[in-house]
Amino acid sequence: LVRSKQLIVSPPLEYQPYIYPQSGASKYLEIEILDTLQENATYVFNFGQSVVDNHEENPYSFFTYVFSTGDYIDSLEVEGFVIDALEKKPDPFISVMLYKVDTAYTDSIIFQKPPTYLTNTLDSSTNFRLTNLKEGTYKLVAMKDEAGNYKFDPKTDKIGFIDHFIEIPTDSIYGLNLFKEIPEYKAVRPSLIAKNKIFFGYEGEHEGMQISLISEKPEEYDYRVFPDTKTDTLNYFFTPFEADSLIFEVRKQVRQKQVVDTFTVRIKELYADTLIVAQLNKSFALNDSLRLHATTPMEVVDTTRISVMNKDSVFLDYTANLDTKTNILNLKWATEPEQKYQIKLLPGAIVDFYGDVNDTLTYGLATKSIADLGSFRVNLRNVQQYPVILQLTDQKGVVQYEKFITEQKSTYEFLNINPATYLIRVIHDANGNGKWDTGNYLQKIQPERISYFPDAVELRANWEIEQTFTLQ
């Protein structure tokens, strides 16, 4: 039996060959090649785990068949391993590719043509070995090739690359660091969503996007912009006026170039969006805050109409911070364990861009007892350069707690946090911007390095755990 899904052919063929038998028993494999083969080339058919016996389907692991269209079989090799820049373990089935560097080579070849040589990590290993290679200069690239077409699509594929060309033969072991690029910025045609709201979509980063109405408009015309919480979209709220269409200019500086787009938005008869306030954080913990988001731009917060009360009916001092860039209102007070809080916003506590006010809003929040929580202490060793970001994540890599560290201390504490199984990781924040930055293939930028503590750590209720993390 042959399951051709795991078959890797190097150099790659344009058309997948037919392999017989697909079912039933046979002592022979028959390969029907549908392409015209290159002259003087060595071909490697790596069957992975796809050849199995007919009775119990035990695999004949990593069976390869090698032949040449020339007078000899090339015999050089390149070995290495693949890691993921962000995740603790890389995805399965990573394609590792060599591109011949000659007079026709450009960095953009990975978008346009299949590689000269190809292998795959399959589903059980992070190591790779490219075999039966010719001597020469090559570009080494790894790719999570979602479309299976041996070409890089930044919108869907992860990529890893070696900064320099490699010379074969070589004794070096190469490590490839996979990352997902942020797509190149592109403004998407806007659409009228409500009488007073337009969606301005984008690809890539929206920071620095400037939206200007260039149609004739009344003197009192005004607008507000903030990003949507769920989609790659800017919410553009404006003061409506009579018009058949509106013409907008969207600008953004992309590296050394000013990108300018002009869009026309047709006006339709729609209802206007009105003020609705929603709680962003569905869970609440010690030292947390209440985060509120509104469907329309919040303009004024009247703290005389907001109260925070504990279970003993004692009114507490709090701070209110309105971030107009994100349209999020942050209410924070000194929290205590095993306590209940009632937060009330009377009508007029929030006034939006259109002068509308909130209805009475009431939120009930509670904190756990200290006995239901745990504490985590991490001793960081061998930090070569600051700043770094120390994070506790869940098993899927979602950040639960983090600390931005600018100078050396003996111990970093995460006190009274939720019991869970955590992964510990350190981001080597080379540019000091407080977040992890991915890489870019064409700009020859590698992603910022992340160090993972080898094992997941279980924190139980009423436990205190201390771990020493020595960075490699």
Side-chain angles (χ1 to χ4, degrees), residues 295-360:
T295 52
T296 54
M298 293 183 279
E299 292 282 299
V300 177
V301 177
D302 184 351
T303 56
T304 66
R305 297 173 182 268
I306 302 175
S307 63
V308 178
M309 186 173 65
N310 66 15
K311 64 182 179 182
D312 299 320
S313 300
V314 175
F315 289 98
L316 306 177
D317 293 333
Y318 68 91
T319 58
N321 177 41
L322 175 59
D323 184 349
T324 55
K325 289 184 177 180
T326 59
N327 203 40
I328 293 174
L329 173 61
N330 225 349
L331 301 177
K332 190 169 181 61
W333 60 95
T335 57
E336 296 178 345
E338 207 167 1
Q339 183 63 266
K340 293 182 179 180
Y341 300 98
Q342 184 186 76
I343 300 89
K344 182 174 286 189
L345 286 77
L346 297 175
I350 297 172
V351 183
D352 78 355
F353 175 54
Y354 301 101
D356 294 333
V357 300
N358 60 287
D359 296 326
T360 299

Side-chain angles (χ1 to χ4, degrees), residues 45 286 323 355 452 471:
F45 283 65
L286 279 174
D323 184 349
Y452 271 95
L471 303 182

Side-chain angles (χ1 to χ4, degrees), residues 391-394 397-402 425:
Q391 296 180 331
L392 302 183
T393 79
D394 64 16
V398 178
V399 177
Q400 305 299 307
Y401 306 96
E402 71 175 19
R425 70 186 183 193

Side-chain angles (χ1 to χ4, degrees), residues 263-311:
F263 298 108
T264 299
V265 178
R266 302 292 178 185
I267 299 300
K268 300 175 287 186
E269 192 61 40
L270 299 172
Y271 289 105
D273 264 13
T274 56
L275 176 64
I276 300 174
V277 180
Q279 180 181 348
L280 277 183
N281 51 325
K282 301 305 180 185
S283 60
F284 191 74
L286 279 174
N287 301 316
D288 209 346
S289 59
L290 174 62
R291 297 185 293 278
L292 301 176
H293 188 270
T295 52
T296 54
M298 293 183 279
E299 292 282 299
V300 177
V301 177
D302 184 351
T303 56
T304 66
R305 297 173 182 268
I306 302 175
S307 63
V308 178
M309 186 173 65
N310 66 15
K311 64 182 179 182

Side-chain angles (χ1 to χ4, degrees), residues 11 36-43 68-71 74 134:
T36 300
L37 300 180
Q38 301 173 27
E39 294 182 357
N40 299 315
T42 299
Y43 281 85
S68 175
T69 57
D71 296 332
D74 297 314
K134 285 184 184 294

Side-chain angles (χ1 to χ4, degrees), residues 66-86:
V66 182
F67 67 90
S68 175
T69 57
D71 296 332
Y72 59 90
I73 290 177
D74 297 314
S75 58
L76 300 176
E77 297 183 353
V78 169
E79 293 184 83
F81 58 91
V82 177
I83 61 173
D84 192 286
L86 189 58

Side-chain angles (χ1 to χ4, degrees), residues 23-38:
S23 61
S26 175
K27 293 184 178 181
Y28 303 96
L29 289 180
E30 182 178 340
I31 303 173
E32 182 180 350
I33 297 172
L34 307 177
D35 293 58
T36 300
L37 300 180
Q38 301 173 27

